[in-house]
C-alpha cells in the first residue's frame, strides 16, 4: 500500500513536471462537473415544494430563472475548464512522448543496446497501446477520483437530513418507515450497497485490468511483425524470395487467436459483475423509495424533497462506485507506472564526465535546433573537427597559434590536432553484459600522433569492440584508455566525441536529406559537404542529386534509393565532414566494387593526411599502406608491426591470414 502510494505520488510529480498546472485545473473542472447535477436535483425539489406550498408565479419564475442561470454559469465554467484541461492534457502527452523518446538519446550506448532497456521501452509502448496502462491510467483515474470525491460530498450535503426526519406515522407500516429504526436500516442498506459496489467494481476492474495485461505480450509480438515485416518495404525482398509470407501470416493469425480468448473472458467478467451490482442497486432503490415515500406521506417533509433525497442518495452511491473503481484502477496501474518511472529515472545515477557514452541531453532544448555560432557570409558552420577548441587541452601549449583563427581558416585548414594526439590502450579487458567470454583481453598498445594503423583479425577477434571502447560507447571492465596520458573517462564528453570520425560496419544513414545526414543537423555547410562526398568517391552520383535530396522514400516520395556501396561512401563522407582528428574506418569498403574500393584506398592516404587513422579491414592487401598493423585474435593482441615485418614471421597469425587470402588473387 505504502509502496503503491509512493509510486502514484511519483507519477503525479511526473505529470506536474511535464505539464505544470494540469492537475489543479483537473480539480477545478472536477468540482464544476460534480456540482452540476446537484443544482438541478436541489432546485427541482425546492420548486416542487414551492409549488405545493402555493408560491405565486413571480416566485416560481424566480426559482426557474435561478436554476437556469446557475446551470448556465456552471456549464459555461465547466466547458471552459474542460477546454483548459484538454489543452494542458495535449501538452502533457506530447511532453511525455518527447521525454520517453529523448531518453533513448540520453542513455549510454551500453544501456540502449541492453536487453533490459529495450524490453522496458517496448513494455511501456505496449502497455499504453493495450488499454492506456501507464500515464493514461493515472491521469484519467485521478480526474474521476477527484470528481467522485466532490460528488460524494455534495450528495451527503443534500440527503443527510433524511436520517433525522423521523416521527410517528399513521398505521404500523408507515410508522415503521418513519421510525429511527428505518433510518438506521436505510443507512445500513446504503452502506451495504456501497460495499457490494466496492466489491464488484474493484473485482471486475482488477480482472479486466489483468486480462488486458495478458494481451501485452501478444500485442508486443504482433507489433514486431507489423513494424518489421508488414509496415516496411525493406524486408519485402526476403519475404518474397524466401516465401516467408505464409509463415508470417500464420504466426500473426495465431497471435490474433490467442488475443481473442482474453477478450471473450473480459466481456464475461464485465457482464457478471455488473449484474451483481444491478441486483444490489435494485434492492437499495426499492427501500429508498419506500422509506422516503412513506415519510413524505406521513408529512415529515414535502413531497418535492423525495427528488432531492432519492437523487442525492443515487449520486452518493454512484460517486462511491466511481471512487472504488478508480482506486482499483490506480492500484492495478502501479506496476506500469513503476516501469515508466524506472525507465525515465535511468542513467541519472551513473552520468559521468568523459566519454561514458551518454547521448545528448534533449530535455533542455525541446523541439528546436539552434543555428551554430559563427555561421554567416557563406563560410563554414562551426567546425566540429576543431576538438582543440572545445575545451579539451589536446595540443601542447607551445604548438598553439598565438593569433585567433577565423572561422573560415579553421574550416579550410586541415585538422592538425592529431599531430599532438597520443592514444594508449593500457591493459584493457572487456566482456559484453550478459556474456561469459572476454571480447577484449588485456589489450595494450599505443597509437602515435598522426599514425596510420591497421587492425586485422578473423571475425569475432575483437576489432569492432576495440573501436567501440575507444569511442566511449562502452567502458573497459579493466585497464584504461588514455588520450595524451589522461583517462578518456575523465575528459569532457563533447570534446571527446569530436575527436572521432567513425564509419562502423553497420553504420546507419537516416531518411533525411543528404546534407543533413552528413552534418547530423538541419543546418549544414554545403561546400564542406560536397567536398566530403567528393573525397569519399560519391562525386559522380552527387551530380544527379543535390544535398537536399532525401535518402530513401520513408518521408519523401522523391527520395532516392541508394545501393549498399553508395551508402558506404556517404557514411565515409559523414565521417570526413566531421573533420575529426581521428578517422576510424571499420570495414570501410566491404560493400564497394573493386574499382570503387581502389579509388577509396587511393584517396585514403590523402584523406587521412594530418589525421590519426585506424583501418579495420578483411582485405589484407588494403592494410599494406599503413605504417603499423595490429593483429588481434580472441580479443588479444597477438602480433604487431609493418606488413613486411609481419610477413617475415611464417608461423604468425598475419602470415596465415595473408596467405589464406592471397591464394584467391593469384
Ligand atoms: P570483430 O569486429 O573482430 O569481428 P567484434 O568486436 O564484433 O569482432 O566481436 C568480438 C566478440 O564480442 C565476438 O565474440 C562477438 O560475438 C562478441 N560481441 C560483439 N558484439 C556483442 C554484443 N553487442 N553483445 C554481446 N557480444 C558481442
Amino acid at each position: 500500500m505504502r509502496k503503491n502510494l509512493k509510486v502514484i505520488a511519483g507519477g503525479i510529480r511526473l505529470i506536474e513536471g511535464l505539464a505544470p498546472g494540469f492537475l489543479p485545473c483537473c480539480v477545478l473542472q472536477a468540482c464544476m462537473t460534480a456540482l452540476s447535477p446537484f443544482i438541478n436535483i436541489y432546485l427541482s425539489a425546492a420548486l416542487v415544494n414551492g409549488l405545493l406550498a402555493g408560491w405565486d408565479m413571480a416566485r416560481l419564475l424566480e426559482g426557474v430563472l435561478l436554476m437556469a442561470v446557475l446551470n448556465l454559469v456552471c456549464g459555461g465554467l465547466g466547458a471552459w475548464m474542460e477546454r483548459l484541461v484538454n489543452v494542458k492534457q495535449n501538452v502533457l502527452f506530447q511532453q511525455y512522448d518527447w521525454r520517453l523518446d529523448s531518453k533513448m538519446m540520453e542513455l549510454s550506448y551500453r544501456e540502449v543496446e541492453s536487453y533490459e532497456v529495450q524490453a522496458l521501452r517496448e513494455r511501456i509502448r505496449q502497455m499504453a497501446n493495450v488499454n492506456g496502462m501507464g500515464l493514461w491510467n493515472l491521469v484519467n483515474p485521478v480526474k474521476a477520483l477527484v470528481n467522485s470525491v466532490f460528488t460524494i460530498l455534495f450528495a451527503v450535503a443534500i440527503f443527510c437530513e433524511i436520517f433525522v426526519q423521523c416521527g410517528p406515522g399513521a398505521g404500523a407500516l408507515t410508522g415503521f418507515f418513519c421510525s429511527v429504526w428505518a433510518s438506521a436500516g436505510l443507512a445500513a442498506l446504503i452502506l451495504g450497497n456501497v460495499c457490494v459496489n466496492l466489491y464488484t467494481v474493484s473485482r471486475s476492474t482488477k480482472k479486466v485490468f489483468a486480462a488486458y495485461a495478458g494481451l501485452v505480450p501478444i500485442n508486443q509480438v504482433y507489433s514486431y511483425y507489423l513494424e518489421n515485416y508488414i509496415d516496411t518495404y525493406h524486408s519485402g525482398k526476403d519475404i518474397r524470395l524466401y516465401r516467408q509470407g505464409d509463415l508470417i501470416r500464420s504466426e500473426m493469425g495465431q497471435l490474433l487467436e490467442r488475443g481473442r480468448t482474453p477478450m471473450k473472458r473480459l466481456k464475461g467478467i464485465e457482464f457478471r459483475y455488473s449484474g451483481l451490482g444491478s441486483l444490489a442497486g435494485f434492492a437499495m432503490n426499492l427501500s429508498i423509495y419506500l422509506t422516503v415515500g412513506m415519510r413524505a406521506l406521513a408529512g415529515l417533509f414535502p413531497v418535492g424533497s423525495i427528488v432531492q433525497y432519492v437523487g442525492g442518495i443515487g449520486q452518493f452511491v454512484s460517486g462511491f462506485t466511481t471512487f472504488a473503481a478508480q482506486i482499483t484502477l490506480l492500484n492495478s496501474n502501479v506496476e506500469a507506472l513503476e516501469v515508466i518511472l524506472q525507465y525515465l529515472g535511468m542513467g541519472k545515477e551513473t552520468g559521468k564526465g568523459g566519454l561514458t557514452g551518454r547521448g545528448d541531453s534533449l530535455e533542455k532544448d525541446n523541439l528546436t535546433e539552434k543555428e551554430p555560432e559563427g555561421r554567416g557570409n557563406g563560410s563554414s558552420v562551426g567546425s566540429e573537427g576543431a576538438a582543440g577548441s572545445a575545451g579539451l587541452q589536446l595540443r601542447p601549449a607551445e604548438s598553439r597559434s598565438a593569433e585567433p583563427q577565423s572561422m573560415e581558416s579553421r574550416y579550410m585548414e586541415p585538422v592538425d590536432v592529431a599531430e599532438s594526439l597520443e592514444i594508449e590502450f593500457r591493459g584493457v579487458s572487456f566482456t559484453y553484459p550478459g556474456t561469459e567470454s572476454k571480447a577484449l583481453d588485456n589489450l595494450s598498445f599505443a597509437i602515435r600522433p598522426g599514425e596510420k594503423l591497421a587492425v586485422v583479425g578473423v571475425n569475432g577477434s575483437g576489432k569492432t569492440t576495440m573501436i567501440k571502447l575507444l569511442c566511449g560507447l562502452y567502458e573497459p571492465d579493466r585497464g584504461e584508455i588514455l588520450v595524451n596520458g589522461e583517462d578518456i573517462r575523465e575528459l569532457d564528453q563533447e570534446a571527446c566525441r569530436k575527436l572521432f570520425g567513425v564509419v562502423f560496419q553497420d553504420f546507419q544513414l537516416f531518411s533525411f536529406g543528404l546534407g543533413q545526414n552528413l552534418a547530423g543537423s538541419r543546418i549544414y555547410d554545403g561546400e564542406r559537404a560536397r567536398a566530403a562526398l567528393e573525397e569519399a568517391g560519391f562525386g559522380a552520383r552527387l551530380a544527379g542529386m543535390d544535398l537536399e535530396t532525401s535518402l530513401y522514400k520513408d518521408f519523401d516520395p522523391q527520395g532516392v534509393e541508394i545501393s549498399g556501396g553508395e551508402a558506404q561512401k556517404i557514411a565515409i563522407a559523414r565521417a570526413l565532414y566531421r573533420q575529426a582528428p581521428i578517422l576510424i574506418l571499420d570495414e570501410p569498403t566491404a560493400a564497394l566494387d573493386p574499382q570503387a574500393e581502389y579509388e577509396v584506398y587511393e584517396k585514403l592516404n590523402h584523406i587521412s593526411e594530418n589525421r590519426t587513422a585506424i583501418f579495420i579491414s578483411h582485405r589484407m592487401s588494403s592494410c599494406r599502406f599503413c605504417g603499423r598493423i595490429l593483429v588481434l585474435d580472441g580479443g588479444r593482441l597477438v602480433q604487431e608491426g609493418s606488413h613486411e615485418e609481419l610477413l617475415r614471421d611464417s608461423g604468425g597469425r598475419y602470415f596465415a591470414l595473408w596467405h589464406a587470402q592471397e591464394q584467391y588473387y593469384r
Side-chain angles (χ1 to χ4, degrees):
M1 179 69 182
R2 230 170 128 174
K3 186 197 130 206
N4 284 7
L5 279 176
K6 218 171 137 193
V7 175
I8 292 168
I12 287 176
R13 276 198 299 278
L14 173 67
I15 292 176
E16 237 346 79
L18 293 171
F22 171 70
L23 288 172
C25 283
C26 287
V27 172
L28 274 178
Q29 193 221 349
C31 179
M32 285 295 153
T33 329
L35 186 63
S36 194
F38 291 99
I39 293 173
N40 293 327
I41 293 172
Y42 187 77
L43 290 181
S44 311
L47 278 176
V48 174
N49 285 342
L51 207 61
L52 293 172
W55 284 3
D56 58 21
M57 188 54 86
R59 225 175 144 194
L60 279 174
L61 277 177
E62 253 176 45
V64 171
L65 200 66
L66 177 69
M67 194 160 140
V69 169
L70 283 177
N71 265 316
L72 193 72
V73 172
C74 199
L77 270 177
W80 182 69
M81 291 302 306
E82 190 179 342
R83 198 192 66 94
L84 201 67
V85 165
N86 284 343
V87 169
K88 284 195 175 286
Q89 187 160 300
N90 275 344
V91 173
L92 169 70
F93 280 97
Q94 197 192 40
Q95 286 298 323
Y96 172 61
D97 286 343
W98 176 245
R99 181 77 73 86
L100 285 182
D101 296 337
S102 300
K103 197 73 204 172
M104 280 313 256
M105 306 284 163
E106 291 165 26
L107 291 176
S108 70
Y109 182 69
R110 184 188 185 112
E111 286 163 321
V112 166
E113 208 190 32
S114 75
Y115 171 78
E116 287 75 20
V117 171
Q118 294 294 340
L120 269 186
R121 195 174 154 73
E122 189 54 23
R123 245 184 103 196
I124 292 172
R125 211 153 64 92
Q126 294 307 332
M127 285 188 307
N129 281 351
V130 166
N131 75 334
M133 283 181 244
L135 208 66
W136 262 114
N137 273 339
L138 176 64
V139 169
N140 286 336
V142 164
K143 278 159 70 175
L145 199 69
V146 177
N147 184 288
S148 69
V149 170
F150 282 116
T151 302
I152 292 168
L153 292 176
F154 293 141
V156 170
I158 69 164
F159 84 82
C160 62
E161 61 190 18
I162 180 84
F163 296 109
V164 290
Q165 283 171 331
C166 307
L173 192 63
T174 320
F176 169 74
F177 278 109
C178 294
S179 68
V180 179
W181 293 111
S183 285
L186 185 63
L189 260 170
I190 294 171
L191 284 180
N193 201 271
V194 163
C195 288
V196 170
N197 279 353
L198 285 183
Y199 172 76
T200 54
V201 167
S202 59
R203 292 281 298 179
S204 69
T205 310
K206 214 184 258 175
K207 289 198 171 190
V208 167
F209 210 92
Y212 274 123
L215 288 177
V216 171
I218 298 173
N219 223 41
Q220 193 163 331
V221 184
Y222 194 87
S223 301
Y224 178 84
Y225 283 123
L226 215 55
E227 282 161 25
N228 294 290
Y229 300 151
I230 308 283
D231 287 346
T232 166
Y233 65 91
H234 295 296
S235 0
K237 292 193 292 295
D238 299 83
I239 288 177
R240 277 155 192 79
L241 289 175
Y242 292 98
R243 304 198 58 79
Q244 290 176 337
D246 287 345
L247 175 65
I248 293 168
R249 262 203 298 268
S250 112
E251 291 290 322
M252 288 176 89
Q254 277 181 26
L255 286 168
L256 284 178
E257 188 57 46
R258 273 176 58 201
R260 238 170 257 145
T261 320
M263 286 311 279
K264 257 192 241 158
R265 262 192 42 227
L266 223 144
K267 294 297 153 201
I269 294 165
E270 280 172 344
F271 177 73
R272 269 200 310 280
Y273 283 101
S274 71
L276 193 60
S278 302
L279 267 179
F282 170 76
M284 183 193 73
N285 284 335
L286 193 69
S287 321
I288 292 170
Y289 276 108
L290 273 173
T291 314
V292 176
M294 289 291 192
R295 287 183 181 197
L297 269 182
L300 295 180
F301 44 78
V303 173
S305 299
I306 294 177
V307 179
Q308 180 182 328
Y309 298 141
V310 171
I313 294 171
Q315 288 288 333
F316 176 80
V317 173
S318 84
F320 243 108
T321 310
T322 310
F323 184 84
Q326 303 316 310
I327 293 284
T328 314
L329 211 55
L330 280 176
N331 271 323
S332 310
N333 189 49
V334 159
E335 203 185 319
L337 207 54
E338 239 180 334
V339 173
I340 293 171
L341 294 176
Q342 184 192 348
Y343 171 72
L344 289 180
M346 282 190 79
K348 287 188 179 147
E349 70 287 354
T350 49
K352 293 189 232 160
L355 258 185
T356 51
R358 289 260 169 268
D360 310 318
S361 173
L362 303 181
E363 270 175 43
K364 40 183 159 49
D365 181 22
N366 278 6
L367 300 161
T368 54
E369 189 174 4
K370 287 196 213 98
E371 194 160 334
E373 284 172 30
R375 191 165 196 255
N377 61 29
S379 69
S380 114
V381 175
S383 169
E384 279 193 356
S389 66
L392 187 66
Q393 301 292 302
L394 296 167
R395 205 187 319 188
E398 60 274 15
S399 73
R400 288 169 195 231
S401 162
E403 289 293 308
Q405 288 176 306
S406 71
M407 187 60 75
E408 179 81 6
S409 69
R410 232 191 312 151
Y411 158 53
M412 298 310 288
E413 185 187 280
V415 181
D416 62 354
V417 184
E419 285 174 12
S420 62
L421 270 180
E422 169 121 13
I423 293 167
E424 188 184 350
F425 272 59
R426 201 178 276 172
V428 170
S429 293
F430 177 76
T431 306
Y432 280 99
T435 62
E436 297 286 313
S437 55
K438 287 181 183 168
L440 293 183
D441 190 359
N442 198 22
L443 198 60
S444 294
F445 65 91
I447 309 174
R448 291 184 294 276
E451 190 180 4
K452 313 283 168 275
L453 185 80
V455 185
V456 300
V458 293
N459 285 338
S461 56
K463 304 182 294 292
T464 303
T465 306
M466 183 197 103
I467 302 301
K468 285 187 193 166
L469 263 75
L470 177 60
C471 300
L473 295 174
Y474 285 99
E475 281 180 21
D477 301 331
R478 280 185 50 207
E480 49 192 357
I481 300 167
L482 308 167
V483 176
N484 284 355
E486 274 192 74
D487 191 321
I488 207 160
R489 284 170 287 206
E490 306 304 325
L491 300 175
D492 173 73
Q493 179 174 327
E494 268 309 296
C496 278
R497 284 244 164 84
K498 289 176 182 171
L499 291 177
F500 304 104
V502 193
V503 183
F504 280 108
Q505 283 176 58
D506 56 350
F507 63 85
Q508 186 73 48
L509 297 177
F510 303 94
S511 300
F512 301 130
L514 183 56
Q516 293 176 1
N517 259 287
L518 258 56
S521 160
R522 287 197 201 114
I523 304 149
Y524 56 86
D525 186 292
E527 202 185 320
R528 189 162 126 197
R530 280 178 192 284
L533 286 161
E534 202 70 52
E535 277 202 296
F538 196 75
R541 183 76 162 89
L542 186 61
M545 55 199 284
D546 63 49
L547 293 171
E548 283 298 301
T549 307
S550 302
L551 298 186
Y552 314 114
K553 295 185 188 295
D554 298 279
F555 305 127
D556 181 2
Q558 308 302 325
V560 293
E561 288 299 329
I562 43 174
S563 71
E566 287 167 343
Q568 200 154 39
K569 289 177 186 173
I570 297 173
I572 294 175
R574 182 171 61 182
L576 297 178
Y577 180 90
R578 265 208 145 180
Q579 297 188 319
I582 303 171
L583 185 66
I584 302 174
L585 302 178
D586 185 354
E587 287 294 330
T589 55
L592 299 187
D593 59 56
Q595 176 67 26
E597 185 188 7
Y598 172 75
E599 284 167 15
V600 167
Y601 275 104
E602 273 284 280
K603 284 183 176 162
L604 275 184
N605 254 333
H606 167 64
I607 289 173
S608 54
E609 206 174 282
N610 292 322
R611 289 186 169 100
T612 300
I614 304 173
F615 300 102
I616 295 179
S617 181
H618 278 125
R619 303 195 197 175
M620 308 295 288
S621 56
S622 54
C623 301
R624 288 169 66 172
F625 76 99
C626 289
R628 197 154 58 105
I629 299 169
L630 303 185
V631 186
L632 296 193
D633 195 19
R636 291 178 152 268
L637 178 64
V638 290
Q639 267 185 305
E640 171 175 9
S642 69
H643 171 70
E644 290 71 24
E645 283 165 1
L646 291 171
L647 268 192
R648 263 180 242 133
D649 180 3
S650 58
R653 197 86 190 88
Y654 187 82
F655 186 92
L657 285 170
W658 173 265
H659 284 283
Q661 233 171 44
E662 195 212 27
Q663 61 177 309
Y664 295 107
Y665 294 103
R666 270 189 209 130

